[in-house]
Amino acid sequence: MVRTRFAPSPTGHLHIGGLRTAIFNYFFAKANIGEFLLRIEDTDRERSRKEYTKAILEGLKWCSIDWDDICYQSKRQDIYEKYLKELFDKGLAYRCYCSKERLEKLKQEQIEKGENPHYDGHCRNLKEEIKDKDFVVRIKLPSEDIDFKDVVHGDMHFSYKEFDDFIIRRSDGSFMYNFTNVIDDIECGITHVIRGDDHLTNTAKQVVLYRLFSKSAPVYAHVPMILGEDKTRLSKRHGAQSVLEYRDMGILPDALVNYLIRLGWSYGDKEIFTKDELIELFNIENLNNSAAVFNPEKLLWVNAEHIKLMSPKKLLEYAKPFMDRRCFDYENNYLIRAVETMQPRAATLKELASGMLFYCVSPKEYEQKGAKKYLKESVKEPLVFLLERLKEADFNSEDELKKAFEETMEKFELKMVKIAQPVRIGLTGRSAAPGIYEMLMILGKDESISRIERVIDAIPFRLS
Ligand code: GLU
Ligand code: ZN
């Protein structure tokens, strides 16, 4: 059975790079009817914070990246001790009592000789334990080359000479990342590890640990890091980093998931994926090694596509936090129709919410450019005529509304835009807005008529 995991360290908010890693692991597990686990790597007592764990869980929940199980490394000390004992018993780990000063001096000497700094094995063969003296625990690095296969990078090879007897437990008793990470992956039966390629050297060390424990390593897939448009590693300079900031900007979770999964993975030239499609189609063979550049405009485009795809009812739920509560009556079901009219023309939930504000407040002013262009003396008479026709029309019938416009167009030999645009400006204040009949029907007769009367009074329009 396929089992993957996402293993964030709660030393900061969930950022989009972390979310992408979670997404890859989640969909790979689900595509293979496997399990996806969440592991909070909070062994670093100084830097880990509860608020960050909370924010990470909140971000994942918002994206519906649901975990089958969750564990906290801070509660697993006993398990790590047990594994440590195993290494001691096999003679594969040892206590190192070297002082900071000695190690610093060693480092300087090695640098002077032009060598890479590495531990010299000074305490490797000590016979006796020294009482009352601080120590770290190191592994005895085998003198064998380190090889592993990576789904994205192919055959990876490291010489053992690039490493030393690295530390697995600090002098305060806390364990190092590589050690706990491997033990938990063994204990939880993790079969596949998908993560950023900044971990490749860690992986070499981890492969050594698997060997010491006589266990086989999982399948690895190291994906390229997300870069900003200037091709440097994504950071604050490139704008919002935290997943919850995207939520607050009005990005749909499905859109963010869709956008991020395409950074390092593709399926032909398909761009828009629903969750169900991803569960069906995601595979690790299609992960790729090309630079994953974060493009905010493309994210907006993907978001607009998901806004169009979503049912108006569900979309309304997502849009509510962005809507003016004093103004909209959520109980009224005209709102669903109103949302529907904005679906083809909003890139974010914020735009959707502000774009439909006119349904509940009549425009305070008219957009200058559009008003100057369309509110001309010559349309005054046709608009008065239209208004009379509308007063007689049934606003629940699109046909009757259409007929009123058609009669006006015919009588004054005018094209639809010449009449529709002034009406659109009158109803919404803007010249870009939903279809005229749908707006009239949603606004209803009284409200529509009073807004059209007002726009007629504003003709000829003068710039303020
Ligand atoms: N806690 C590690 C990190 O956040 C986990 C890396 C891994 O997936 O093994 O980078
Ligand atoms: Zn030592």
Side-chain angles (χ1 to χ4, degrees):
M1 154 131 115
V2 166
R3 230 192 229 129
T4 62
R5 46 57 167 194
F6 176 48
S9 307
T11 53
H13 287 280
L14 178 63
H15 52 86
I16 50 176
L19 177 60
R20 184 189 60 155
T21 299
I23 289 169
F24 285 152
N25 284 285
Y26 172 82
F27 284 105
F28 182 65
K30 297 298 143 186
N32 291 284
I33 322 173
E35 284 183 348
F36 170 72
L37 312 182
L38 183 57
R39 179 167 77 230
I40 305 297
E41 300 209 322
D42 53 355
T43 49
D44 186 333
R45 293 168 196 166
E46 257 150 47
R47 291 171 58 228
S48 301
R49 294 230 205 102
K50 285 229 164 60
E51 310 85 276
Y52 290 139
T53 299
K54 225 179 120 216
I56 292 168
L57 301 189
E58 192 183 342
L60 292 173
K61 278 187 196 146
W62 176 64
C63 292
S64 305
I65 302 298
D66 307 319
W67 48 93
D68 295 295
D69 207 352
I70 179 171
C71 74
Y72 293 81
Q73 286 193 325
S74 56
K75 300 196 180 117
R76 296 168 67 81
Q77 190 78 4
D78 293 353
I79 297 172
Y80 308 137
E81 296 288 357
K82 195 185 92 193
Y83 275 79
L84 182 67
K85 185 168 177 302
E86 184 187 327
L87 290 189
F88 272 126
D89 290 349
K90 290 192 198 158
L92 298 173
Y94 62 93
R95 295 178 174 202
C96 164
Y97 299 93
C98 291
S99 64
K100 270 207 185 83
E101 293 72 33
R102 175 178 188 272
L103 294 175
E104 189 50 40
K105 196 164 152 256
L106 178 68
K107 189 173 151 191
Q108 288 314 323
E109 285 168 7
Q110 289 169 339
I111 291 173
E112 273 164 37
K113 279 191 260 171
E115 292 172 11
N116 281 333
H118 59 275
Y119 182 64
D120 61 353
H122 184 72
C123 303
R124 210 180 215 236
N125 299 311
L126 287 183
K127 293 280 169 304
E128 301 278 308
E129 282 185 11
I130 308 178
K131 291 254 171 323
D132 303 323
K133 193 166 180 202
D134 277 354
F135 63 89
V136 298
V137 178
R138 295 180 182 273
I139 61 141
K140 284 188 185 164
L141 185 87
S143 310
E144 294 162 21
D145 284 352
I146 306 162
D147 295 296
F148 60 92
K149 265 198 180 16
D150 184 275
V151 174
V152 179
H153 293 256
D155 288 330
M156 295 299 297
H157 175 86
F158 291 84
S159 161
Y160 69 90
K161 292 184 182 133
E162 292 176 47
F163 300 97
D164 60 3
D165 288 352
F166 56 86
I167 299 173
I168 52 178
R169 198 177 80 157
R170 300 180 189 92
S171 58
D172 68 0
S174 65
F175 288 96
M176 298 292 281
Y177 154 74
N178 282 314
F179 187 70
T180 54
N181 193 267
V182 162
I183 290 169
D184 286 332
D185 283 348
I186 292 173
E187 283 280 303
C188 300
I190 298 303
T191 57
H192 294 75
V193 169
I194 310 171
R195 62 187 170 196
D197 60 12
D198 54 332
H199 278 291
L200 274 168
T201 12
N202 280 328
T203 303
K205 291 181 176 184
Q206 295 181 4
V207 166
V208 170
L209 290 170
Y210 279 100
R211 200 178 291 168
L212 298 186
F213 288 121
S214 312
K215 299 277 186 210
S216 47
V219 175
Y220 290 107
H222 287 87
V223 290
M225 305 300 287
I226 302 181
L227 306 178
E229 281 181 308
D230 56 359
K231 303 280 163 76
T232 65
R233 207 169 140 174
L234 200 65
S235 74
K236 281 247 151 55
R237 288 181 298 118
H238 300 101
Q241 277 272 80
S242 119
V243 168
L244 297 176
E245 278 177 80
Y246 285 94
R247 175 191 65 187
D248 300 342
M249 276 180 214
I251 300 293
L252 284 171
D254 285 4
L256 188 59
V257 166
N258 182 163
Y259 176 72
L260 289 177
I261 205 156
R262 287 278 295 102
L263 292 181
W265 180 79
S266 59
Y267 194 83
D269 50 16
K270 188 169 165 63
E271 289 289 0
I272 301 301
F273 296 87
T274 63
K275 280 251 171 60
D276 288 342
E277 286 174 322
L278 288 174
I279 290 176
E280 192 169 325
L281 302 176
F282 187 77
N283 57 8
I284 45 178
E285 291 78 36
N286 286 21
L287 286 170
N288 58 57
N289 199 10
S290 49
V293 177
F294 187 80
N295 175 344
E297 280 101 69
K298 184 161 173 207
L299 171 60
L300 288 179
W301 175 76
V302 172
N303 201 44
E305 293 303 305
H306 278 269
I307 286 179
K308 286 179 204 156
L309 273 179
M310 194 170 265
S311 82
K313 193 161 170 234
K314 198 164 160 205
L315 189 57
L316 175 60
E317 290 310 310
Y318 278 110
K320 277 179 182 175
F322 299 93
M323 286 166 48
D324 190 341
R325 255 167 209 279
R326 286 159 308 182
C327 174
F328 286 107
D329 168 11
Y330 292 161
E331 299 312 312
N332 193 329
N333 63 14
Y334 88 87
L335 271 186
I336 292 186
R337 287 162 67 207
V339 163
E340 211 172 348
T341 65
M342 279 304 298
Q343 271 183 282
R345 53 199 101 237
T348 65
L349 296 169
K350 257 192 188 162
E351 266 180 44
L352 184 95
S354 67
M356 56 188 264
L357 200 60
F358 75 88
Y359 283 114
C360 65
V361 253
S362 107
K364 289 194 184 55
E365 55 194 21
Y366 301 134
E367 166 207 305
Q368 301 262 317
K369 204 171 143 228
K372 194 175 158 243
K373 181 162 174 200
Y374 295 109
L375 303 184
K376 296 217 170 100
E377 188 64 52
S378 58
V379 292
K380 193 158 187 158
E381 206 193 326
L383 285 179
V384 171
F385 179 84
L386 173 73
L387 187 66
E388 292 314 309
R389 288 287 158 284
L390 288 175
K391 280 179 184 167
E392 289 155 20
D394 172 4
F395 270 59
N396 290 318
S397 156
E398 187 171 333
D399 281 347
E400 289 200 18
L401 297 175
K402 243 188 205 153
K403 223 171 97 209
F405 277 81
E406 275 160 6
E407 279 176 26
T408 313
M409 280 156 54
E410 216 165 284
K411 181 165 162 69
F412 295 90
E413 291 182 4
L414 287 174
K415 287 218 173 84
M416 182 65 174
V417 275
K418 294 268 186 224
I419 316 169
Q421 285 306 74
V423 173
R424 189 170 269 121
I425 291 167
L427 297 180
T428 69
R430 322 189 290 263
S431 50
I436 215 83
Y437 306 124
E438 51 190 6
M439 288 194 295
L440 289 169
M441 291 170 81
I442 293 170
L443 283 167
K445 191 166 192 163
D446 294 347
E447 187 61 29
S448 299
I449 295 225
S450 96
R451 291 189 193 188
I452 296 170
E453 279 168 347
R454 258 189 60 213
V455 82
I456 292 174
D457 286 344
I459 292 175
F461 183 81
R462 294 193 209 291
L463 287 178
S464 57

